[in-house]
Amino acid sequence: MTVCIAAIYNNGGVVAVSDKMLSTTDATFEPDGDCKKIFRLFKTIHALNAGHVGLQAEIMQSMAIPLISIHNQNPQKEFTVVELADLYVEHYNQAKRQRINNSIFAQYNLDLDLFLARQKEFADIFTRDLMDQVARFQMPETATIIAGVDKSAGVLEPHIYCIKGGYDISVECCDAVGYATIGSGARLAEAQFMQANFTRHFELPKALFLSYLAKRHAEKAPGVGKETEMFLFGPDPDSIQGLQSVLDYKKLDEMHNEIVSQTAAKTDQMYVKTIEFLLNKVPERPRKFS
């Protein structure tokens, strides 16, 4: 129940936008003040999180431990976006395994590894029942965008990966389309990019305003918050800039509302023209069939 958006601009950096809506197992709420939905993983690489806030916080904390350790041992170590996407998947799977152990195997004084090692000792029906429970085990729904700038291709350039979890976990590279949207408002936000024929070569002002329009359009979806947070990642190393201090969100609201009102007026005009065009060409009411 949220929306997060990442879009590449000028083939050099990333615009990130999110609402402030948070979701737990049985509640959705939008807190006052700051909301931790965008996490810095490494220099210009960040995670935008949607879905179950507790599970996402657990994964972020779990990822931080090896990242801090690696940095302390080798401060010059450079990470790539795909490496951190893979690391997210690794820690997601760790969290899933722990939940499977707790909910399925712990009652038999087992864990998954011990069960697999000893499964020949158990009756077939017992083994099939436990493996069926494992296969049907569902994690809370989550979606994460890992986005930022790295030198994985030999030059400093932006990358975006989208990771979705639930029954299974999937990873998608979004570099070609140049943007990713997640959360309950993802479809509406994506429609805005598709309508604009977006590419990763859009200049910053155009990509930024389009991302803002996409977020506002996504507010029509259930559970998407009205508050907005916007950031820039890159292209310079160690750079992240929150845009709340440099952008007048009220002005952006006015520009958005002007577009909406003009679109509605134009639609009404076309509706009247359609009525005139169809006059006496089609029946006013559908024919009744016996």
Side-chain angles (χ1 to χ4, degrees):
M1 294 295 186
T2 187
V3 69
C4 295
I5 301 164
I8 295 172
Y9 68 87
N10 203 28
N11 205 31
V14 178
V15 178
V17 187
S18 78
D19 65 354
K20 296 184 178 182
M21 193 68 74
L22 298 177
S23 300
T24 63
T25 302
D26 55 2
T28 300
F29 60 98
E30 189 170 25
D32 293 331
D34 293 336
C35 173
K36 193 67 171 176
K37 298 187 70 169
I38 300 178
F39 291 79
R40 179 177 180 177
L41 300 177
F42 176 77
K43 291 187 177 180
T44 59
I45 304 175
H46 297 74
L48 289 75
N49 290 335
H52 194 280
V53 63
L55 176 56
Q56 292 285 35
E58 178 183 338
I59 295 172
M60 291 295 104
Q61 293 170 12
S62 178
M63 289 179 65
I65 296 173
L67 288 174
I68 292 172
S69 176
I70 292 172
H71 177 73
N72 289 338
Q73 295 175 18
N74 182 10
Q76 305 305 316
K77 166 67 177 176
E78 296 287 334
F79 288 96
T80 65
V81 175
V82 66
E83 285 177 335
L84 294 181
D86 289 341
L87 185 64
Y88 178 96
V89 172
E90 177 185 336
H91 285 266
Y92 175 95
N93 287 330
Q94 287 181 11
K96 182 175 183 178
R97 178 182 289 262
Q98 186 60 50
R99 283 165 169 76
I100 288 174
N101 286 336
N102 291 340
S103 65
I104 299 174
F105 293 105
Q107 59 186 315
Y108 304 108
N109 292 321
L110 295 169
D111 61 24
L112 180 58
D113 291 334
L114 186 58
F115 168 76
L116 293 175
R118 296 179 53 193
Q119 61 180 314
K120 292 183 179 180
E121 304 174 18
F122 306 130
D124 288 345
I125 190 170
F126 177 75
T127 299
R128 287 197 300 270
D129 178 61
L130 290 191
M131 293 309 296
D132 182 60
Q133 291 184 56
V134 171
R136 290 186 289 106
F137 186 85
Q138 183 177 10
M139 291 281 277
E141 288 192 6
T142 57
T144 295
I145 296 171
I146 309 292
V149 180
D150 65 40
K151 293 183 178 179
S152 57
V155 294
L156 197 65
E157 63 180 10
H159 302 280
I160 297 175
Y161 280 77
C162 184
I163 307 168
K164 296 180 180 179
Y167 274 114
D168 299 306
I169 188 166
S170 64
V171 182
E172 179 182 4
C173 177
C174 302
D175 287 359
V177 295
Y179 70 91
T181 63
I182 56 175
S184 59
R187 292 288 188 185
L188 291 172
E190 183 177 16
Q192 200 76 39
F193 283 91
M194 295 175 68
Q195 185 177 1
N197 294 317
F198 176 83
T199 77
R200 58 187 289 147
H201 299 284
F202 274 28
E203 294 294 331
L204 173 58
K206 190 173 182 179
L208 189 152
F209 188 61
L210 178 59
S211 299
Y212 179 79
L213 289 179
K215 189 272 175 184
R216 291 299 309 273
H217 191 55
E219 292 174 11
K220 297 178 181 178
V224 176
K226 303 300 182 183
E227 297 294 322
T228 302
E229 290 189 313
M230 302 183 72
F231 292 87
L232 297 182
F233 305 154
D236 299 323
D238 295 312
S239 67
I240 175 175
Q241 182 176 8
L243 297 178
Q244 188 170 2
S245 61
V246 297
L247 279 180
D248 185 349
Y249 283 10
K250 290 184 178 180
K251 184 63 177 178
L252 289 178
D253 283 343
E254 293 175 2
M255 295 163 64
H256 166 264
N257 294 338
E258 183 178 347
I259 290 175
V260 171
S261 61
Q262 290 180 356
T263 301
K266 194 66 175 178
T267 300
D268 288 342
Q269 293 175 13
M270 293 302 104
Y271 173 65
V272 172
K273 287 188 176 183
T274 302
I275 294 175
E276 295 172 350
F277 173 74
L278 294 177
L279 189 62
N280 300 323
K281 294 182 181 179
V282 296
E284 294 184 6
R285 294 180 177 85
R287 295 177 181 175
K288 292 185 178 180
F289 294 93
S290 57

